[in-house]
Amino acid sequence: MKKFEKFTGIAAPMPLVNIDTDMIIPKGFLKTIKRTGLGVHAFDEMRYDRQGNEIPDFVLNKPQYRKTEILIAGDNFGCGSSREHAPWALADFGIKVIVSTSFADIFFNNSFKNGMLPIVLPAEQVELLMKDAERGENARMTVDLEAQEITTSDGQVITFEVDAFKKHCLLNGLDDIGLTLEKASAIDSFESQSAQARPWV
Amino acid sequence: MSAPKTLYDKIWDAHVVSEDADGTCLLYIDRHLVHEVTSPQAFEGLRMTGRKVRCPEKTIAVPDHNVPTTEGRDKHIENEESRIQVEALDKNARDFGIHYYPVTDIRQGIVHIVGPEQGWTLPGMTVVCGDSHTATHGAFGALAHGIGTSEVEHVLATQTLIQKKSKNMKVEITGKLKPGVTAKDITLAVIGLTGTAGGTGHVIEYCGEAIRSLSMEGRMTVCNMAIEGGARAGLIAPDETTFNYVRGRAHAPKGAQFEAALSWWKTLFTDEGAVFDKVVTIRGEDIEPVVTWGTSPEDVLPISAVVPAPEDFTGGKVEAVRRSLDYMGLTPGQKLTDIAIDTVFIGSCTNGRIEDLRAAAKIVEGKKIKPGMRAMVVPGSGLVRHQAEEEGIAQIFIDAGFEWRLAGCSMCLAMNPDQLGEYERCASTSNRNFEGRQGYKGRTHLVSPEMAAAAALTGHLTDVREMI
């Protein structure tokens, strides 16, 4: 996985609450057996009409937001399905950071596995960033995971919390499976104890 | 004496392989269920790194999301991408030596119906699947939740997950349900009250007399939609109802081993004095048959109500409701029972079990669906279908004008050919009413099987209590 580095990028406002995984990537695109190439289908039904033409009003279709790297979203982003196609599509589009007051659990976890950083902030701060994002491409924000800081286009600094282990994995681009396999002996001994205690499993 | 524990605490503690200083744990997974949509990239990952499936004997695969529900699917699946995904699962199951129920097997069905039916799901287990409705298995007092594909690969390779413990939430449904009120109404009513983020960061334990009185089928319906309330998982403490359901199932323990298991299972309850971080209590008597009117499962109202107005809400929900009503083609103040329906879908991992079909059949018996109505029953598994045919339920549906389909996820998420057309409106026993969920521009009203059956007869959303 690529290391998550400090960057400055365009943020897009998506104030709608409960943006669900069916909105992020409709099921028609779940039939792929690959992880890549879903970016053009991110938010498909909001982004294109049935003929495949872009809907000009949709935020990511507007000229100033076409290179968005940060989404500032309404409450409960990513609710619904466990489909990792949702973070795959967003990451493939170029999204690196999503800010909201809350995220659905599975989406939240899936994001980290794909090098994306979901940030939870109180409503007032999300509102402040939303306002900043509405200013378009001139409003570039800086996200520094190491320092746990977002800097708005006019220099305001907002700090955020992140799980220490997840931060470590993102910053270093670590593969979870590799890390877990280092604990193989602990898994072995759990299994042998469990075979005694719960032989029916 | 140790501190009182919740049911969730007990199952969690029994599965911790290791714990880091910051509380990050390696959690052992007892059962890993796999379907064709969220697994191909995970198996591909194993191949690329030369890794094996650590415990193929604990890994069970079944195709369900993509499979057509019409005859002939065992010979050929028309849609090429669907066929490729199903074939990929065939190959992965074979190559990695995991348990597999192909479409040709009568035991094939929706993964969350097959697991319990075959006795793979047992009390006190940890169960995961690359599917958010894995919460279903919590009905057995198993800690069960959905995972993403990266985690599917992680479980395949290590039989563990990296997890931090969630908080404990109690949802108590006291007293008795009134006639015409079902497990589906309970679970929707809870989400209506707490919202789709009400359970975020929590594992819910459902308890109370109304929950205790439910069959295993009903309990599975309740836990199934825990995820719709944002919870990581839903749980119900196992009891005699659970043990009776499990006893004798193909992969449940037998003889002395069953007895040994039983004595542990009987310790799986929340101790007196255990603390919950959040508690919600609803009187069973207060729950009415409900229906969703919007595009979020929290948009729930009793069938006797009217469509709300955006101004009835606050914050970001105002705009969301405006968008929902526009999408759904509804007007504030309209009576819910005046909403005309053109499609009825009975099935899914929420309501595709035998008891659901029995309940719906009772409503339609001897009657005909409204002319022009498209009504479909999709049993949750080949065995449910077979049982329904044996019991004469299938014939009741067929005589009433329903299509009687083969098992699969079908129109719940419409990845197969069973889809709503633009602006078609469906009374559906499934679990999600998101925009486009059942088909592009399709409109979904979530209801119980009884309410779906009633709507099929009248052609509009209907209070089933008028029919019983």
Side-chain angles (χ1 to χ4, degrees):
Chain A
M1 208 164 70
K2 242 174 87 179
K3 290 181 182 178
F4 190 100
E5 287 167 350
K6 180 177 169 179
F7 74 101
T8 301
I10 298 167
M14 292 191 83
L16 189 65
V17 300
N18 293 333
I19 292 179
D20 60 64
T21 49
D22 281 72
M23 286 181 181
I24 299 170
I25 187 82
K27 70 227 158 217
F29 305 106
L30 307 188
K31 295 186 181 185
T32 175
I33 55 171
K34 300 195 217 120
R35 291 177 204 242
T36 50
L38 288 169
V40 292
H41 304 304
F43 300 108
D44 195 83
E45 290 179 3
M46 302 163 97
R47 195 166 150 202
Y48 306 105
D49 65 20
R50 275 310 240 183
Q51 286 69 48
N53 303 310
E54 286 186 2
I55 298 170
D57 281 351
F58 182 65
V59 63
L60 299 180
N61 287 336
K62 294 180 182 171
Q64 65 271 36
Y65 293 113
R66 299 184 78 89
K67 296 211 163 77
T68 293
E69 291 178 287
I70 304 165
L71 287 181
I72 314 294
D75 309 341
N76 198 28
F77 188 87
C79 58
S81 142
S82 65
R83 62 187 67 163
E84 199 158 318
H85 309 68
W88 291 338
L90 296 178
D92 197 53
F93 180 91
I95 304 295
K96 294 178 180 167
V97 170
I98 307 162
V99 179
S100 178
T101 57
S102 59
F103 292 88
D105 273 349
I106 305 176
F107 177 85
F108 189 77
N109 284 327
N110 282 344
S111 297
F112 284 100
K113 314 277 182 200
N114 291 282
M116 257 190 322
L117 173 64
I119 298 175
V120 179
L121 288 175
E124 315 77 66
Q125 295 184 332
V126 173
E127 191 54 34
L128 190 150
L129 293 175
M130 194 78 76
K131 287 260 154 38
D132 196 27
E134 281 165 3
R135 295 164 57 195
E137 65 187 322
N138 294 322
R140 289 166 179 262
M141 297 180 193
T142 301
V143 179
D144 184 345
L145 174 57
E146 181 76 59
Q148 299 182 205
E149 286 175 357
I150 304 176
T151 308
T152 64
S153 58
D154 53 9
Q156 290 191 70
V157 176
I158 292 175
T159 58
F160 60 86
E161 295 297 315
V162 60
D163 178 273
F165 174 73
K166 290 190 167 94
K167 175 180 175 179
H168 174 72
C169 289
L170 271 190
L171 284 175
N172 296 290
L174 295 177
D175 161 31
D176 277 356
I177 298 179
L179 288 175
T180 298
L181 287 173
E182 288 172 12
K183 297 179 180 167
S185 64
I187 304 174
D188 290 341
S189 64
F190 180 92
E191 272 179 348
S192 50
Q193 282 167 24
S194 171
Q196 300 288 320
R198 300 183 300 133
W200 59 86
V201 169
Chain B
M1 217 180 98
S2 59
K5 288 180 176 183
T6 64
L7 171 58
Y8 170 51
D9 297 337
K10 289 180 183 179
I11 303 173
W12 176 271
D13 290 349
H15 290 85
V16 174
V17 173
S18 69
E19 180 167 358
D20 294 343
D22 72 343
T24 302
C25 291
L26 206 53
L27 197 70
Y28 195 79
I29 302 303
D30 293 326
R31 292 286 180 265
H32 186 191
L33 308 174
V34 174
H35 66 71
E36 79 278 20
V37 176
T38 55
S39 67
Q41 294 86 349
F43 285 110
E44 190 57 25
L46 294 185
R47 284 199 180 88
M48 279 159 51
T49 49
R51 289 169 179 148
K52 291 195 173 85
V53 175
R54 183 179 172 101
C55 299
E57 74 284 4
K58 294 173 182 172
T59 312
I60 301 99
V62 58
D64 56 7
H65 282 56
N66 267 296
V67 295
T69 56
T70 44
E71 298 290 346
R73 66 181 188 180
D74 48 337
K75 312 270 186 309
H76 183 69
I77 296 176
E78 191 63 34
N79 181 286
E80 191 187 349
E81 290 171 301
S82 293
R83 191 173 68 244
I84 289 171
Q85 266 191 347
V86 173
E87 285 170 357
L89 188 64
D90 286 345
K91 178 170 163 50
N92 289 329
R94 210 168 42 240
D95 289 358
F96 290 92
I98 62 182
H99 296 280
Y100 187 48
Y101 303 105
V103 284
T104 48
D105 192 315
I106 192 173
R107 296 168 295 179
Q108 179 271 343
I110 306 171
V111 63
H112 307 308
I113 293 192
V114 172
E117 203 168 67
Q118 293 302 318
W120 290 114
T121 308
L122 298 171
M125 280 185 162
T126 46
V127 181
V128 296
C129 175
D131 191 288
S132 57
H133 292 110
T134 311
T136 312
H137 307 264
F140 292 80
L143 177 59
H145 58 83
I147 54 178
T149 300
S150 296
E151 290 177 318
V152 169
E153 186 178 339
H154 192 279
V155 177
L156 288 171
T158 70
Q159 205 60 28
T160 64
L161 266 185
I162 299 169
Q163 292 269 290
K164 263 196 174 162
K165 200 173 170 201
S166 303
K167 292 183 190 149
N168 280 288
M169 176 168 171
K170 175 160 96 166
V171 173
E172 184 175 20
I173 315 293
T174 62
K176 292 187 170 55
L177 299 180
K178 289 192 177 152
V181 179
T182 68
K184 182 64 165 287
D185 299 300
I186 293 180
T187 203
L188 282 171
V190 171
I191 300 160
L193 186 70
T194 60
T196 49
T200 301
H202 293 75
V203 165
I204 295 176
E205 181 177 346
Y206 298 95
C207 60
E209 187 189 347
I211 297 292
R212 272 297 129 229
S213 309
L214 293 174
S215 64
M216 283 318 294
E217 282 86 350
R219 294 178 189 188
M220 284 189 255
T221 301
V222 170
C223 289
N224 172 274
M225 290 190 70
I227 181 69
E228 260 43 81
R232 171 144 278 263
L235 283 171
I236 295 173
D239 59 12
E240 287 305 320
T241 305
T242 323
F243 309 143
N244 289 335
Y245 179 98
V246 166
R247 191 179 280 116
R249 303 253 158 205
H251 296 280
K254 308 278 182 320
Q257 209 162 79
F258 185 86
E259 295 309 318
L262 192 61
S263 66
W264 185 58
W265 295 344
K266 286 183 173 172
T267 68
L268 298 174
F269 54 84
T270 291
D271 295 330
E272 193 75 42
V275 180
F276 286 90
D277 302 284
K278 199 168 178 178
V279 177
V280 171
T281 306
I282 301 180
R283 277 164 36 98
E285 293 82 0
D286 291 346
I287 302 175
E288 284 190 60
V290 294
V291 52
T292 62
W293 49 266
T295 54
S296 165
E298 70 190 11
D299 300 339
V300 174
L301 279 172
I303 182 66
S304 53
V306 299
V307 174
E311 299 73 40
D312 298 343
F313 298 83
T314 53
K317 190 70 184 169
V318 177
E319 192 46 42
V321 169
R322 196 166 287 130
R323 184 184 168 94
S324 277
L325 293 181
D326 181 51
Y327 182 88
M328 294 296 288
L330 297 175
T331 317
Q334 192 178 1
K335 283 169 74 176
L336 292 173
T337 48
D338 284 346
I339 297 173
I341 295 294
D342 46 55
T343 309
V344 166
F345 170 66
I346 298 177
S348 84
C349 58
T350 314
N351 281 127
R353 285 167 284 269
I354 188 69
E355 188 177 279
D356 301 313
L357 304 195
R358 283 184 194 135
K362 219 168 170 175
I363 303 295
V364 303
E365 185 160 19
K367 303 196 179 84
K368 295 273 183 218
I369 60 171
K370 170 114 177 174
M373 174 75 60
R374 173 164 64 135
M376 192 190 284
V377 182
V378 184
S381 72
L383 289 174
V384 168
R385 179 180 150 94
H386 177 72
Q387 188 175 352
E389 286 172 350
E390 294 284 300
E391 293 182 15
I393 291 170
Q395 201 56 49
I396 292 174
F397 284 121
I398 293 165
D399 291 346
F402 281 83
E403 296 173 44
W404 179 248
R405 296 298 193 93
L406 299 174
C409 298
S410 181
M411 203 188 271
C412 174
L413 84 168
M415 271 190 80
N416 77 346
D418 308 338
Q419 303 188 2
L420 290 183
E422 289 186 35
Y423 308 115
E424 283 183 340
R425 191 183 291 280
C426 182
S428 179
T429 67
S430 54
N431 40 54
R432 287 198 178 126
N433 51 350
F434 295 160
E435 287 180 21
R437 173 77 178 181
Q438 295 193 292
Y440 182 73
K441 300 269 187 216
R443 293 161 168 169
T444 303
H445 295 278
L446 301 177
V447 289
S448 70
E450 289 89 329
M451 291 275 283
L457 300 177
T458 62
H460 55 84
L461 292 177
T462 298
D463 190 339
V464 70
R465 289 172 296 188
E466 292 162 9
M467 293 191 174
I468 52 175

